[in-house]
Amino acid sequence: VTDALASLRAAFSGGLLTGVADMAPFLTDWRKAWTGTAHAVALPDSTDDVARIVRWCAARGWRIVPQGGNTGQSGGSVPEATGDNLVLSLQRLNRIRDVDPANDTISVDAGVILQTVQETAAAHDRFFPLSLGAEGSCTIGGNLATNAGGTAVLRYGNARDLCLGLEVVMPDGEIWHGMRGLRKDNSGYDLRDLFIGSEGTLGIITGAVLKLFPKPAGRATTLAAVASPSDAMAAFAAIRASHYNELTAFELMSGFALGLVTTQFPGLRLPLGAPALWYLLIEFTDLLSETAAREKLEAALAAALEAGHITDAAVATSLAQSRTLWQLRERISEASGRTGKIAKHDIAVPVSRAADFIAAAHAAVADAFPASKPITFGHLGDGNLHFNYRLGDGDDAAALTAIVNHEVRACGGTISAEHGLGVLRHREAWAHCNPAEQRMTTALKNAFDPAGIMNPGKVIP
Ligand SMILES: Cc1cc2nc3c(=O)[nH]c(=O)nc-3n(C[C@H](O)[C@H](O)[C@H](O)COP(=O)(O)OP(=O)(O)OC[C@H]3O[C@@H](n4cnc5c(N)ncnc54)[C@H](O)[C@@H]3O)c2cc1C
């Protein structure tokens, strides 16, 4: 291995880490649930260097794990426990290549941090809408490789919907130059879409052309109380029908989940009079003004109160208050993690079936695991819920997950909505692919990566 590392060192000009302590942060995932091993961590500075490293690995059969910010939730960004593994970090590939306001596009290296893309867009009086809790650490390459969702999917779509072009280093080291900023392009198969959501198993994304939008002038946020998920769905349908263009986020949180947040983070308080069983975090944006955003939100809430869909609401009157409301939502994972063992799920069902799913799954789990506690929250407007459970003493997480997954399927849903399969859900997802899906997926993997060196053991078991 020492000779091999010397040869790899000579093959490209970027950074190469081989020390145990230097490599450690790259070998364990953000949740600290998975740890792997690698001979080295490569930190290339250019696409050409990525290609050189990949060619070097392909010649020796070394397996490559692409890594961005290492914030993924499914263990896809860390290597397996054994084998000739190399982590290829895109961290240093972090240039903004071009901003084209007239085309409403930005072209970036894959290692650019999501928040940097948002800020660069804002500096050009444009808006890049992808937004999620890890935006200060995750990279555009990771966002695209996992087809990340986040809080504004309802209005702007997920990472796939925001991407027009890609540059990819293929598993044999060839560079695919697909950095096209076209909104219409029917010239053959859509190769770009194959890489989005492939979690590093088909190639390494090194660059992307992303869509920009007009910058909203105003933003208004509310925390509303609702009696049940059915009422939440009724509120959603009415607000979406009356304010389709303004409605940007529609998040559901259980009272139990928010109770954990206010207990664990005493600085955070619910700005409503009485406790409720369920809460909504709703955000409106308006292209013209802050006042318009707030007035439209208040009108929508008044109608929802009048119709009996919501029981109370508090609208943030400053940016600081709006941030505090979002903190309530974003701290749920951390707060629940502090209070016990959690079985995590990232499911989606058709929006029309979300309330039925919640009722059926809660009942089925309560029946089998009476000591467990549902910690339900998520992007209700997309039908995507982080349908988590705090386990009771001795509860079998896998058996509880099997019940949840059964209910998801019964509602025509998916067990992997926005976090990717990684190593967390790949076996379960594969087992429930139909034969045609398995054949096509295997054929694609074999066509792109016949030697199987790209992120093995992820997505496809
Ligand atoms: C606090 C927190 C909140 C989050 N909230 C959300 C949310 O609301 N919505 C949501 O969708 N996700 C959320 N996530 C998870 C989210 O998927 C990741 O944060 C992000 O999209 C992954 O980016 P990353 O750069 O960290 O990728 P990594 O974690 O480094 O990698 C993730 C996967 O992508 C692959 N990969 C990374 N870069 C490349 C590349 N350049 N080319 C090919 N493959 C690559 C890796 O091999 C791995 O399989 C959250 C995570 C945290 C920690």
Side-chain angles (χ1 to χ4, degrees):
V1 172
T2 313
D3 288 350
L5 287 174
S7 149
L8 174 59
R9 176 59 290 174
F12 74 108
S13 61
L16 188 72
L17 308 176
T18 53
V20 175
D22 291 341
M23 289 198 294
F26 298 87
L27 301 180
T28 297
D29 76 299
W30 185 87
R31 290 173 56 186
K32 310 242 177 305
W34 298 274
T35 298
T37 63
H39 295 316
V41 175
L43 295 142
D45 299 313
S46 67
T47 300
D48 285 339
D49 262 355
V50 174
R52 287 186 191 101
I53 295 167
V54 172
R55 279 198 296 274
W56 187 96
C57 288
R60 288 156 186 83
W62 277 31
R63 288 119 50 116
I64 303 168
V65 182
Q67 192 180 95
N70 198 15
T71 67
Q73 299 286 291
S74 309
S77 57
V78 294
E80 294 181 298
T82 56
D84 291 328
N85 302 322
L86 178 84
V87 173
L88 197 155
S89 167
L90 281 300
Q91 262 178 28
R92 289 204 197 169
L93 214 67
N94 59 3
R95 285 173 313 126
I96 303 287
R97 297 191 189 180
D98 179 49
V99 183
D100 184 349
N103 195 40
D104 270 327
T105 49
I106 182 169
S107 304
V108 300
D109 282 354
V112 174
I113 301 287
L114 170 55
Q115 194 173 326
T116 307
V117 177
Q118 297 165 345
E119 289 168 357
T120 309
H124 288 80
D125 199 31
R126 292 292 185 279
F127 180 57
F128 183 63
L130 187 65
S131 176
L132 45 99
E135 63 198 21
S137 315
C138 62
T139 63
I140 287 300
N143 298 148
L144 291 167
T146 57
N147 189 21
T151 52
V153 172
L154 192 56
R155 173 72 179 78
Y156 296 98
N158 51 20
R160 183 187 304 282
D161 299 311
L162 301 173
C163 179
L164 293 176
L166 284 183
E167 177 187 85
V168 177
V169 174
M170 304 295 296
D172 61 0
E174 186 181 0
I175 301 171
W176 173 51
H177 298 281
M179 294 284 281
R180 301 179 188 116
L182 302 174
R183 282 175 171 75
K184 289 190 170 181
D185 181 8
N186 274 352
S187 50
Y189 298 150
D190 198 331
L191 300 172
R192 172 199 59 200
D193 267 357
L194 290 176
F195 294 102
I196 298 175
S198 68
E199 301 182 51
T201 61
L202 295 182
I204 299 172
I205 298 169
T206 50
V209 183
L210 306 167
K211 285 184 197 168
L212 299 179
F213 295 83
K215 193 157 96 180
R219 186 177 295 274
T221 318
T222 187
L223 185 77
V226 274
S228 67
S230 310
D231 284 349
M233 291 312 305
F236 174 66
I239 293 173
R240 191 149 157 95
S242 61
H243 292 88
Y244 184 86
N245 286 329
E246 292 80 15
L247 180 61
T248 320
F250 196 93
E251 305 279 312
L252 177 76
M253 298 158 291
S254 70
F256 181 72
L258 285 194
L260 293 177
V261 174
T262 51
T263 311
Q264 292 298 319
F265 301 99
L268 292 173
R269 291 264 134 253
L270 301 187
L272 299 175
L277 284 177
W278 295 91
Y279 295 91
L280 297 171
L281 182 64
I282 305 170
E283 189 154 276
F284 272 28
T285 51
D286 189 273
L287 287 179
L288 299 180
S289 77
E290 195 82 41
T291 314
R294 187 163 324 140
E295 284 176 358
K296 286 175 186 174
L297 178 59
E298 283 168 355
L301 291 171
L305 272 167
E306 170 86 19
H309 299 146
I310 64 173
T311 56
D312 196 3
V315 178
T317 55
S318 65
L319 192 58
Q321 281 186 7
S322 163
R323 287 205 178 111
T324 304
L325 293 186
W326 275 107
Q327 282 289 303
L328 288 167
R329 158 71 177 82
E330 279 161 7
R331 293 273 173 139
I332 294 174
S333 278
E334 197 181 341
S336 52
R338 289 182 184 185
T339 61
K341 251 184 105 188
I342 309 295
K344 291 194 166 197
H345 310 107
D346 169 37
I347 67 96
V349 294
V351 176
S352 54
R353 302 192 68 180
D356 290 346
F357 164 76
I358 293 172
H362 278 175
V365 175
D367 210 27
F369 294 94
S372 69
K373 284 276 186 193
I375 303 170
T376 307
F377 65 102
H379 316 293
L380 184 66
D382 312 325
N384 170 204
L385 294 168
H386 301 306
F387 203 75
N388 299 347
Y389 275 86
R390 188 172 74 194
L391 299 169
D393 283 345
D395 281 353
D396 176 358
L400 190 151
T401 294
I403 295 175
V404 172
N405 291 352
H406 173 80
E407 296 298 335
V408 169
R409 289 199 185 89
C411 283
T414 172
I415 64 163
S416 176
E418 61 171 8
H419 289 164
L421 295 172
V423 288
L424 179 61
R425 304 188 176 92
H426 66 328
R427 286 184 202 291
E428 172 80 11
W430 188 252
H432 286 88
C433 279
N434 63 46
E437 287 165 344
Q438 288 190 349
R439 259 197 315 279
M440 286 189 280
T441 305
T442 309
L444 281 169
K445 174 72 177 170
N446 289 337
F448 280 80
D449 180 24
I453 62 167
M454 288 305 310
N455 214 1
K458 319 289 166 53
V459 182
I460 307 174

